[in-house]
Amino acid sequence: MKRIIESYKRKLAGEEGWILKRGADLRIALCYPNVYSIGMANLGFQAMYEIFNNIPEVSCERAFLPDNVSSARKGSGYDQALPHGRASDILLDELGEYERTRTPLLSLESQTKLRDFDVVTFSISFETDYVNMARMLQMSGVPLWAKDRTHHDPLIVMGGAASFLNPEPIAEFTDVIGVGEGEILGPKLIDVLLENAPKKKPC
């Protein structure tokens, strides 16, 4: 697990503008069902990250399909920020490390287990990533089938361009499918979740 956390922190060191909010009422894991370099090139994914974190009551962190040997060799989007361009010297086969250590899938910003978030959302642009969504759920320890989840599990939400086209193949994996523009649906979903959240008992 230590090597995975170190790899995530290297990615954050190569970024500007990432956000980590503590003590929020609602914690969301925003997932892209492919590796870091592909997810970070998706403008819709970037927009939803900003939209969610602009809501004061919400903390949104990102998660990706772990880099494997092939994607690590190509670079994972942060190699240019490293000294002397020696990214290949420290890039980690994250997928192999997850499998070796049996670590549940973690968020990028705080390295929190995905299953500990209130909501896990997937931004899916291509139907070919449906398999990766299922794989990420399995790696996180969240029951794959919606019917098997309880109130102890996070709410699983799917949005993105693929939700317009053909969400049926993963309908039984998801609790909510957002069909429409994320900039409109996202804040509305947050309003519903906050309005129906269990009230905290006064101390």
Side-chain angles (χ1 to χ4, degrees), residues 93-161:
D93 177 6
E94 292 175 354
L95 185 59
E97 190 69 13
Y98 268 106
E99 293 172 345
R100 186 185 69 82
T101 60
R102 298 184 179 180
T103 301
L105 193 59
L106 306 175
S107 66
L108 180 62
E109 282 80 358
S110 68
Q111 300 86 52
T112 298
K113 297 174 184 176
L114 255 62
R115 66 188 183 207
D116 291 341
F117 284 82
D118 301 307
V119 182
V120 175
T121 65
F122 286 87
S123 177
I124 306 180
S125 298
F126 308 102
E127 291 183 41
T128 50
D129 282 336
Y130 286 167
V131 173
N132 290 337
M133 173 187 173
R135 191 174 192 181
M136 290 177 71
L137 286 174
Q138 288 179 321
M139 291 184 66
S140 69
V142 175
L144 182 59
W145 302 99
K147 63 181 178 61
D148 295 332
R149 298 185 198 119
T150 71
H151 66 280
H152 297 294
D153 298 305
L155 185 74
I156 306 301
V157 180
M158 177 256 191

Side-chain angles (χ1 to χ4, degrees), residues 4 7 24 60 65 86 105 108 132 134 138 151 164 181 195:
I4 296 170
S7 178
C60 178
L65 186 72
R86 296 186 300 174
L105 193 59
L108 180 62
N132 290 337
Q138 288 179 321
H151 66 280
F164 288 83
E181 296 294 334
E195 287 173 5

Side-chain angles (χ1 to χ4, degrees), residues 57 79 126 151 196:
E57 298 88 351
D79 49 319
F126 308 102
H151 66 280
N196 291 277

Side-chain angles (χ1 to χ4, degrees), residues 2-19:
K2 180 180 178 182
R3 296 182 68 196
I4 296 170
I5 291 175
E6 289 174 347
S7 178
Y8 281 12
K9 288 183 176 179
R10 286 195 294 270
K11 289 178 178 177
L12 292 173
E15 288 189 12
E16 293 182 3
W18 61 275
I19 302 167

Side-chain angles (χ1 to χ4, degrees), residues 28 30 43-52 55 121-124 157-161 163-164 177-190:
I28 297 177
L30 177 62
L43 296 180
F45 181 78
Q46 301 271 27
M48 293 310 301
Y49 180 64
E50 182 176 358
I51 287 169
F52 284 142
I55 301 173
T121 65
F122 286 87
S123 177
I124 306 180
V157 180
M158 177 256 191
S163 67
F164 288 83
I177 297 176
V179 180
E181 296 294 334
E183 292 84 351
I184 298 173
L185 294 178
K188 290 183 179 295
L189 174 64
I190 299 303

